[in-house]
Amino acid sequence: MNKEFINRLNQAFDNVSMADVARRLRIPHATVRNYYQGRLPAPEVLIKIANETGVSLNWLLIGTGERYAGHIAPIGLGRFIEEKISEIIDKKLADGDVTELSDVDFRGDFDVESALIEFNDPQKVMNAWFKYEGRKYPADYGIVFFRGWETFSDKDKAAAIRDAKRVLDRSI
């Protein structure tokens, strides 16, 4: 059995099922199964495989030379998206946009209650929230929401901050 050929055949077809290979080559499933059991395809089938996948015959048969013959094989949408994401990440890393993995991690929700304990000032809490999101807080905003602030309970203060933030997010 020629395991290297079977491995290259799998690579050429992106590890799809034998049934998918048979459909793409328009040959019986039993014939494809024979290839995966070690029998080499006939020359005309080898040419079909090369045409369908874009791999070179040398690479397919003996594993030497460039994998693709003159052009890159067609790829599925999933692999295309993965390659694009990888390309974007590589570019960001190369450009120095990301210095640590924490720079790309998702940050959790802003902790309004902790900010209220720290500042007890609605404008400062809103400013901290916007700064947390990487935005600038318009300093003159929120006066209506925070009228009577001193009489609010802690729960009412947090609700007023959240309401003001929700309205502001919709308006800017």
Side-chain angles (χ1 to χ4, degrees):
M1 181 185 318
N2 188 344
K3 290 182 182 178
E4 291 83 18
F5 172 77
I6 295 168
N7 185 36
R8 288 189 298 275
L9 185 61
N10 270 326
Q11 289 177 39
F13 283 100
D14 290 326
N15 298 307
V16 299
S17 68
M18 284 188 251
D20 287 335
V21 172
R23 265 193 294 281
R24 285 178 64 183
L25 295 176
R26 295 178 198 88
I27 59 176
H29 183 273
T31 305
V32 172
R33 186 176 54 241
N34 288 337
Y35 304 152
Y36 281 90
Q37 291 175 345
R39 184 173 149 222
L40 285 176
E44 61 272 8
V45 176
L46 288 168
I47 293 170
K48 255 185 170 179
I49 293 169
N51 286 336
E52 178 65 26
T53 63
V55 298
S56 77
L57 286 172
N58 281 342
W59 178 84
L60 181 62
L61 280 171
I62 57 177
T64 61
E66 294 291 320
R67 178 175 174 179
Y68 294 108
H71 70 282
I72 296 175
I75 61 172
L77 181 60
R79 193 165 118 214
F80 173 77
I81 291 171
E82 286 175 10
E83 287 180 7
K84 282 298 175 189
I85 290 171
S86 178
E87 188 179 299
I88 291 167
I89 290 170
D90 289 345
K91 182 174 178 357
K92 287 231 176 244
L93 289 171
D95 291 347
D97 290 349
V98 178
T99 55
E100 295 180 24
L101 286 179
S102 63
D103 292 346
V104 294
D105 288 344
F106 174 76
R107 288 190 265 179
D109 293 335
F110 180 77
D111 189 349
V112 174
E113 286 77 10
S114 293
L116 281 168
I117 291 168
E118 183 178 348
F119 300 116
N120 196 28
D121 178 300
Q123 298 295 345
K124 288 182 180 177
V125 172
M126 291 294 284
N127 189 47
W129 196 346
F130 272 75
K131 188 175 183 179
Y132 179 81
E133 292 177 344
R135 302 188 302 165
K136 185 169 171 54
Y137 173 64
D140 59 345
Y141 183 79
I143 295 168
V144 172
F145 286 95
F146 308 130
R147 193 171 288 144
W149 179 260
E150 301 77 27
T151 63
F152 290 1
S153 69
D154 290 343
K155 185 177 178 180
D156 290 339
K157 287 178 179 181
I161 293 286
R162 286 188 178 94
D163 289 344
K165 176 75 167 56
R166 213 173 296 119
V167 170
L168 188 54
D169 283 345
R170 275 191 242 131
S171 65
I172 58 171

